Amino acid sequence: MTTRWMVGAVLAAGLALGACADSGSTPPNGSGGSPVTASPSPDPASSSLSGPSGPGPTSPGGPSADPTAPTRPPSGGAAPSGTTTLRGTVQAGVEPNCLLLDGYLLVGGPRDVLAAGARVTVVGEVRPDLMTTCQQGTPFQVQSATRG
């Protein structure tokens, strides 16, 4: 009885392995070439895919409808270009060493002047293309900063 069982197991294994062997037939795609596994993904910049569903991040200014939007948009609407002057009170961000002023993330500048709670005047340039780890605010490259 054990011999019959062993022979049956060997035959079943042989059939299974034989089914996986290349029989010289055309590939499943019928073209005679290598099968295509996937097409290239579209360029994410040109894609109109929406972000993840669910509630967006919350900011000191309240919930944001667009998770990619700055924490709080500048009071003038669109982000200014070129050299810009900002005045106000610096706020601490949610990440360590991240400072915000009027919805902008302050990048660079003198840290003895730029501290949470300080009233400052900052001159610099809006840099929406700049990557940061702070996860909030539109990056603002600080050129100079004074208290007051």
Side-chain angles (χ1 to χ4, degrees), residues 50-52 56-57 64-71 135-138:
S50 62
S64 174
D66 179 9
T68 60
T71 304
Q135 304 181 33
Q136 65 185 133
T138 301

Side-chain angles (χ1 to χ4, degrees), residues 47-115:
S47 176
S48 63
L49 298 176
S50 62
S53 61
T58 342
S59 65
S64 174
D66 179 9
T68 60
T71 304
R72 186 175 65 185
S75 56
S81 60
T83 303
T84 305
T85 301
L86 302 175
R87 290 180 184 87
T89 303
V90 177
Q91 295 178 337
V94 296
E95 300 288 333
N97 300 316
C98 296
L99 298 173
L100 299 161
L101 180 63
D102 291 335
Y104 291 105
L105 172 67
L106 301 177
V107 178
R111 291 299 168 172
D112 59 327
V113 175
L114 299 174

Side-chain angles (χ1 to χ4, degrees), residues 116-142:
R119 290 206 38 87
V120 296
T121 299
V122 179
V123 176
E125 184 177 349
V126 177
R127 296 285 310 273
D129 60 323
L130 192 64
M131 300 293 288
T132 72
T133 58
C134 290
Q135 304 181 33
Q136 65 185 133
T138 301
F140 184 86
Q141 185 73 50
V142 176

Side-chain angles (χ1 to χ4, degrees), residues 26-36:
T26 59
N29 65 2
S31 67
S34 299
V36 177

